[in-house]
Amino acid sequence: MSRLPVAAARPAPTTALPAVLQADQLPVHVAVIMDGNGRWARQRGLPRVMGHRQGVEALKRTLRLCSDWGIGALTAYAFSTENWSRPGEEVSFLMTLFEQVLARELEALQKEQVRIRFLGDLAPLPAKLQALITEATERSAVNSGIHFNVCTNYGSRQELVQAARALAAQVQRGELDPEAIDENALAAQLHTAGQPDPDLLIRTSGEQRLSNFLLWQLAYAELHVTDVLWPDFDATALTQALVDFQGRQRRFGGVQEEI
Ligand code: IPE
Ligand code: IPE
Ligand code: MG
């Protein structure tokens, strides 16, 4: 099977790109591990949760920049399956924050034609948040703008396990021949089914690990780690990540083109 990325539409930029960026060399899909909220707050003598509040502003900023610059999709890691192990007050604060932000931003997302989806196991989330997620997903499904995936109670291993289980159930029902299970069949059972894989993964706060994020989908992504803490992530930091991406030679296992 070809390992080349799925072709995806690259919208035209709606605002001037920074001069160092070339529109035809931007990633189609950017994924981001938004890390460092707690450290940002600690550096200022504030409670950790204030870093999460500021992190929301950084996410809104990043979504708008990606949309304006013609990036087709943004996937952000908001809450991992492992984040439940944090202190109860921090988890509650985050769930309430997600609810408040989603309720507050829904109209703006509609106006900007953002198509929002939530990837992960949504069943354990508070009922009110689940209802808002359903509303936002349904209302924005036909929007023509950037595809915005928010990974909430997302864990890549859990996602792969449920994909394996779904395929096994199809085999058991006699609907699927085990020999017919290929990369496409497995990818079709993931939360990201139908979407192109990310071309670029950005992780903030200097941590050099994946933390159970999109293990399958990032197989050939370019990685950019920045020391910037997520609440400080801005146009300059995004530009740096995109310049880094533009300079990479992507080979997908092949050989470098002769220059
Ligand atoms: C990322 O920031 C946000 C979430 C995981 C929800 P952290 O809260 O992990 O911040 P640090 O890593 O402790 O600084
Ligand atoms: C990854 O960050 C999860 C999110 C950004 C939502 P963490 O801060 O939870 O990851 P670790 O614990 O440093 O690996
Ligand atoms: Mg962290």
Side-chain angles (χ1 to χ4, degrees):
M1 182 192 294
S2 163
R3 289 191 177 274
L4 289 175
V6 180
R10 188 199 303 277
T14 56
T15 58
L17 277 177
V20 286
L21 298 177
Q22 286 158 276
D24 62 348
Q25 285 179 32
L26 291 177
V28 170
H29 184 174
V30 173
V32 57
I33 301 177
M34 310 184 285
D35 202 9
N37 293 354
R39 278 163 280 173
W40 183 93
R42 200 173 57 219
Q43 283 177 359
R44 288 161 178 76
L46 298 168
R48 287 179 55 81
V49 294
M50 294 312 287
H52 297 319
R53 254 195 214 297
Q54 227 28 60
V56 171
E57 299 309 311
L59 182 56
K60 284 166 58 181
R61 195 157 60 223
T62 305
L63 176 64
R64 187 153 300 129
L65 287 167
C66 287
S67 174
D68 287 350
W69 292 353
I71 289 165
L74 175 68
T75 297
Y77 205 4
F79 193 87
S80 76
T81 47
E82 289 72 34
N83 286 149
W84 296 107
S85 67
R86 294 187 176 205
E89 314 87 75
E90 182 171 343
V91 171
S92 307
F93 180 93
L94 281 167
M95 294 299 150
T96 306
L97 183 68
F98 296 155
E99 270 173 37
Q100 288 171 346
V101 172
L102 194 50
R104 195 177 67 212
E105 298 297 330
L106 196 49
E107 290 311 319
L109 290 170
Q110 283 299 101
K111 214 162 122 215
E112 293 176 29
Q113 285 293 300
V114 175
R115 194 199 71 180
I116 191 167
R117 286 189 191 173
F118 292 80
L119 311 186
D121 178 10
L122 306 180
L125 300 177
K128 204 168 143 207
L129 177 57
Q130 285 189 53
L132 278 164
I133 286 176
T134 304
E135 184 190 349
T137 308
E138 287 176 358
R139 281 185 62 192
S140 73
V142 295
N143 286 352
S144 56
I146 189 168
H147 292 187
F148 179 35
N149 299 315
V150 187
C151 295
T152 315
N153 192 25
Y154 175 87
S156 195
R157 287 186 167 183
Q158 188 183 83
E159 176 184 40
L160 288 163
V161 166
Q162 67 81 27
R165 207 179 279 149
L167 292 172
Q170 288 177 30
V171 169
Q172 193 178 39
R173 291 195 299 267
E175 296 164 7
L176 180 66
D177 177 355
E179 291 302 313
I181 298 174
D182 59 10
E183 292 185 13
N184 289 330
L186 195 130
Q189 298 300 329
L190 302 178
H191 297 302
T192 47
Q195 306 191 47
D197 289 338
D199 311 290
L200 169 65
L201 170 72
I202 299 169
R203 183 158 187 161
T204 57
S205 83
E207 306 294 356
Q208 303 187 32
R209 54 177 169 261
L210 291 178
S211 302
N212 203 12
F213 190 46
L214 301 175
L215 301 181
W216 170 281
Q217 297 88 337
L218 292 173
Y220 268 99
E222 297 296 327
L223 311 182
H224 175 86
V225 172
T226 171
D227 286 335
V228 170
L229 302 176
W230 177 250
D232 290 328
F233 196 80
D234 60 5
T236 305
L238 181 61
T239 302
Q240 267 166 17
L242 297 172
V243 166
D244 190 12
F245 176 81
Q246 281 183 177
R248 303 284 178 88
Q249 260 275 341
R250 303 188 78 192
R251 292 192 283 280
F252 299 102
V255 290
Q256 190 167 348
E257 281 171 39
E258 297 294 332
I259 310 167

